[in-house]
Amino acid sequence: MSDWLTLLPALVALIVVLWKKEVIVALLLSLFCAELLLLSQQGESVVTATALGGLNTLEALIKVMSDPGNARLLLFALLVGALMAYMRYSGGVNALVTRLVARGIAKNGRQSKLLAFFTGVAIFIESNLSVLTAGILSRGLFDKFKMSRAELAYIIDSTSAPICILILLNGWGAYVLGLLGSYQLPENPVSILIQTIMFNFYPLFTLALVLFTIISGRHYGPMKTAWQRQQQLHNATTDLGEGPEISQGKARYMLLPLLTMILSMVGFMYWTGQGDLAAGSGSKSVLYATALACLVAYALLRFDNKFSHQQLVDIGYKGMSELLALTTILLLAIALGASLKTLGTGTFIAGLVASSMPLFLIPAMMFLAGALISFTTGTSWGTFAILIPIGMPLVLELNLPPALILAAILGGGVFGDHCSPISDTTAVSSVAAGCDLLEHVRTQMPYAVFCAVASFIAYLLCGWWMI
């Protein structure tokens, strides 16, 4: 089988999404295509591969749930729905929005956007916690000031993975250090990792562009269309509430569960890391913290006699049901990423980009390879695992600047984590903002591509100057 065929599943997903505007169908067909190619690699005939492809697709989904980390992420996605439903139906969201506006913390749309931005920046411990906290906190404010949820999704997504890879006092930093540990680099790995910050152009440009769009109030491309549509929607109706079933509530119905989630997340990271915050398990901590926040929200509403036990159960299930589609997308995306890894898509792209080139082009090509791999597989950490073993030997053999090469790899990996439709961070950002996944990807893409092109040019210039 030709190595070029390993790109076929990604192309199938892209074509179906653009044609039918159906993410679940696109991912399912892409996964089926990947499984067909894997069967073909094993020597099966076309007829046999086609017959077994559907069964293997189901088995690929089962394998996702057999991994504890993936199972935690899927359960977390459902619990998020329950948590947001408790906050919404209790009236806590409306009450907190009213309080923030009254105290001048978010007096207008720009301040509300800045609140979402700085919340995302401040919570650099774990990317999913960052988008979840900033999204839940800001959704009501964005509705009040007639701003699109697509813009909220863009802001919180752009301050999750990009900030996590810049402020490396978290699991991201520990993971990269682990990958660097087997190489006899000219400098201490920690020192190299710190030096990557100034060369990690994609997250730096992304954060700068988000801040510019917030302060200037300008919108471009599909984001401008989403903004105009939101204005027309609000001009057509004066009802900005969340429906008749939302009762008058208190700010603590939202604040206490939210604070519980944030503080317990830090505590669980410390506990699962056995005293080392950076070594903690992100998947365990975010699940435990969200479950505890749900329990706190339930207890508040039950003991205040706001709802009966049965009503709270119904509200929880209703919230979960609202996120079933996105949880399905997450399941399919994880399965597709695993199949593409087995297929060797990432390794093929890396070898294609890194083969025979002038030395000054290597940083830019490492960034391009990272961007392509992470976008087609939806994983930044998987991209790091593929490219660091390629990039670091090049550093040692050709005497290249390690911080520049590593930064290019990290920045390329973050690109896909930031904007790929099969990235878990992209999906969770859509959940937290209450935005359709496809709309989030479509409206965010021009901004992400602009930053990626600028980063590619920056790596060309740095390569020419430093190598």
Side-chain angles (χ1 to χ4, degrees), residues 62-80:
I62 297 299
K63 285 179 184 177
V64 169
M65 291 180 282
S66 67
D67 179 84
N70 293 337
R72 292 187 200 105
L73 185 59
L74 294 170
L75 183 55
F76 153 75
L78 292 175
L79 286 178
V80 166

Side-chain angles (χ1 to χ4, degrees), residues 74-90 132 136 139 253 257 290-291 293-298 301 311-324 327 431:
L74 294 170
L75 183 55
F76 153 75
L78 292 175
L79 286 178
V80 166
L83 178 61
M84 291 193 294
Y86 285 144
M87 292 177 177
R88 188 169 72 250
Y89 289 107
S90 67
L132 186 60
I136 291 175
R139 283 171 65 160
Y253 293 154
T290 306
C294 283
L295 186 60
V296 169
Y298 171 91
L301 298 175
Q311 286 175 319
L312 288 170
V313 170
D314 291 342
I315 289 171
Y317 279 127
K318 185 175 177 60
M320 289 183 186
S321 68
E322 290 169 357
L323 294 192
L324 275 179
T327 304
V431 170

Side-chain angles (χ1 to χ4, degrees), residues 150-227:
E151 187 172 7
L152 174 58
Y154 164 59
I155 292 171
I156 63 177
D157 200 354
S158 300
T159 51
S160 56
I163 201 66
C164 285
I165 203 63
L166 290 174
I167 304 178
L168 291 155
L169 302 173
N170 49 36
W172 291 64
Y175 177 71
V176 175
L177 282 175
L179 293 176
L180 293 176
S182 58
Y183 301 99
Q184 298 297 320
L185 297 169
E187 299 178 56
N188 184 284
V190 175
S191 175
I192 293 173
L193 203 55
I194 293 172
Q195 292 175 50
T196 62
I197 296 172
M198 63 184 294
F199 295 116
N200 209 340
F201 299 119
Y202 181 77
L204 290 172
F205 290 165
T206 296
L207 291 169
L209 184 58
V210 173
L211 205 52
F212 169 77
T213 58
I214 291 173
I215 294 172
S216 67
R218 295 179 181 178
H219 305 86
Y220 303 95
M223 188 71 79
K224 185 173 183 179
T225 304
W227 180 81

Side-chain angles (χ1 to χ4, degrees), residues 94-106 250-252 255:
N94 290 337
L96 182 61
V97 167
T98 302
R99 178 173 291 189
L100 289 173
V101 172
R103 295 196 174 186
I105 298 173
K250 300 174 182 177
R252 69 167 181 261
L255 271 178

Side-chain angles (χ1 to χ4, degrees), residues 336-381:
L336 178 59
S339 293
L340 290 177
K341 182 179 179 181
T342 306
L343 197 57
T345 302
T347 305
F348 170 65
I349 293 173
L352 189 67
V353 174
S355 60
S356 63
M357 67 184 73
L359 293 185
F360 81 93
L361 288 178
I362 289 178
M365 291 299 104
M366 285 288 111
F367 173 78
L368 179 61
L372 291 172
I373 294 169
S374 60
F375 188 82
T376 54
T377 61
T379 168
S380 55
W381 286 27

Side-chain angles (χ1 to χ4, degrees), residues 36 39 43-53:
L36 281 181
L39 286 166
E44 300 290 352
S45 66
V46 175
V47 175
T48 305
T50 304
L52 295 176

